[in-house]
Amino acid sequence: MKELIFFKPYFKQVLWGGHRMRDVYGYTIPGDDTGEAWVISSNPHGQSTVTGGTYDGKTLGELWKEHRELFGGMEGDEFPLLVKIIDANDHLSIQVHPDDDYAFRHEQGSLGKTECWYILDCDEDADIIIGHHARTRQELEEMIGEGRWDDLLRKLPVHKGDFFYIPSGTVHAIRKGTLLLEVQQNSDTTYRLYDYGRLQNGKPRDLHLRQSMDVITCPCQDQTPSGPVIDHGAYETCTLVKGQYFTVDRWRIRKEAEIRQDHPFLLADVTSGSGALDGTTVRAGDHLLIPAGYGTVKAQGDLELITTYIS
């Protein structure tokens, strides 16, 4: 059956959240401290739900369990990816994620977490943290132990449309004034390295210094930039990353384009504009699964799509 499968997000209220997702996408958010929308998720900590169509009301986890044909018969206990929108109304903690091997051994068989960020919107002076300046592990330990965060952390300016690839082991933090789309492995394992001394319910949040030191890549490794923008006239494409765990492409539709779905699944996130996919109206803030065997999707309108598939 040829059907586009749309999802309703699962929202999370957090210390650093805001209301930008309501303002930008019109989402009905649970409060003005909404920091995350898990827009395509089968993670047990928050599942997105199908809205409309044959599978209305089912979670992505249920689709993965009961309708593996939608995913080309892929194997595995869990759907491998998780897509979020993150609204940072304040700085997130300085953090790092483990790789698959470390997470399997120390986090009850969990996946590791490699992720990437596409900047949807940001304040004029916004920045983020990706990487560090320590040249050796000894220097890393000394700088952390002495609290020399300004010397240690690599701070980068951000602008709308920027893209960053963040493999496991990379020190990173989203900072105040940034709205972004995150594509990641299906894992919720985060090691918090520093949290600005903030209190939650009157107490500092837990830090994970030992685990962080175990998994931080040192020295920091720069990542390969995105591929070239290819102009096709009525649309343009760019491969943002082609990695071990996922490939992410950006489609900017000016008039129309044909998107070939020949993967076990293709995720599509409408990040701006409006139009139609095979005659179904879409607008910014829509998120969908294009299942296995679907074939070609005809996209029309003035819109931007981020698509993701398993490499």
Side-chain angles (χ1 to χ4, degrees):
M1 179 169 50
K2 192 169 181 177
E3 183 175 344
L4 302 173
I5 301 172
F6 288 80
F7 291 97
K8 179 172 64 176
Y10 176 88
F11 296 102
K12 283 185 175 283
Q13 294 171 272
V14 289
L15 180 67
W16 41 263
H19 51 78
R20 208 165 186 162
M21 286 186 271
R22 180 183 62 213
D23 301 342
V24 174
Y25 297 117
Y27 291 153
T28 302
I29 58 176
D32 286 346
D33 58 350
T34 302
E36 298 189 3
W38 293 23
V39 297
I40 301 180
S41 169
S42 71
N43 192 283
H45 294 163
Q47 297 215 32
S48 49
T49 306
V50 178
T51 176
T54 302
Y55 307 102
D56 184 48
K58 286 189 174 292
T59 65
L60 177 56
E62 288 173 326
L63 292 188
W64 181 256
K65 182 179 179 180
E66 300 168 7
H67 296 280
R68 199 62 68 92
E69 72 278 2
L70 298 174
F71 309 92
M74 283 186 67
E75 297 182 353
D77 293 335
E78 302 289 342
F79 183 71
L81 300 180
L82 171 57
V83 183
K84 302 175 182 177
I85 292 178
I86 295 179
D87 173 17
N89 192 48
D90 198 356
H91 300 331
L92 277 68
S93 60
I94 311 301
Q95 55 191 244
V96 65
H97 306 298
D99 62 14
D100 287 345
D101 180 64
Y102 189 94
F104 182 83
R105 289 186 287 113
H106 296 276
E107 302 293 342
Q108 294 77 50
S110 171
L111 291 175
K113 187 175 174 182
T114 285
E115 62 188 90
C116 61
W117 299 339
Y118 182 69
I119 308 301
L120 300 169
D121 197 11
C122 61
D123 294 349
E124 185 176 351
D125 58 349
D127 58 43
I128 58 172
I129 290 169
I130 299 180
H132 61 82
H133 296 295
R135 293 162 295 183
T136 66
R137 189 156 295 277
Q138 180 179 349
E139 187 176 29
L140 176 68
E141 293 178 358
E142 290 174 353
M143 295 172 84
I144 291 174
E146 296 167 4
R148 294 163 52 198
W149 301 109
D150 288 341
D151 295 333
L152 175 65
L153 301 171
R154 180 191 288 177
K155 193 182 297 183
L156 303 172
V158 293
H159 307 90
K160 184 176 181 178
D162 286 349
F163 178 81
F164 303 92
Y165 178 57
I166 305 166
S168 58
T170 304
V171 175
H172 62 279
I174 304 168
R175 285 167 56 89
K176 182 177 181 178
T178 301
L179 182 73
L180 60 81
L181 181 79
E182 176 176 289
V183 177
Q184 59 160 93
Q185 289 179 267
N186 184 5
S187 170
D188 200 26
T189 302
T190 296
Y191 298 144
R192 194 177 294 124
L193 188 61
Y194 177 63
D195 197 35
Y196 306 96
R198 290 181 292 201
L199 301 179
Q200 187 170 37
N201 300 321
K203 298 179 180 179
R205 296 199 292 175
D206 291 337
L207 300 180
H208 313 93
L209 296 180
R210 179 185 59 80
Q211 297 97 322
S212 296
M213 290 304 307
D214 283 347
V215 304
I216 290 174
T217 301
C218 187
C220 180
Q221 297 179 0
D222 290 329
Q223 299 306 314
T224 303
S226 303
V229 174
I230 302 174
D231 194 331
H232 303 269
Y235 66 97
E236 66 178 38
T237 57
C238 178
T239 296
L240 300 174
V241 66
K242 187 174 181 65
Q244 178 182 356
Y245 299 105
F246 44 71
T247 294
V248 179
D249 295 327
R250 182 184 66 210
W251 295 72
R252 286 179 172 160
I253 315 297
R254 301 188 184 105
K255 185 177 180 182
E256 62 182 23
E258 291 188 348
I259 302 172
R260 181 71 184 172
Q261 189 345 29
D262 53 6
H263 311 287
F265 63 85
L266 183 69
L267 308 181
D269 303 280
V270 186
T271 51
S272 66
S274 62
L277 298 178
D278 277 351
T280 299
T281 299
V282 295
R283 63 180 182 85
D286 285 342
H287 308 274
L288 61 145
L289 165 73
I290 306 171
Y294 189 96
T296 299
V297 182
K298 187 173 184 179
Q300 295 175 299
D302 180 7
L303 70 160
E304 178 181 82
L305 299 171
I306 301 295
T307 61
T308 305
Y309 59 91
I310 296 294
S311 303

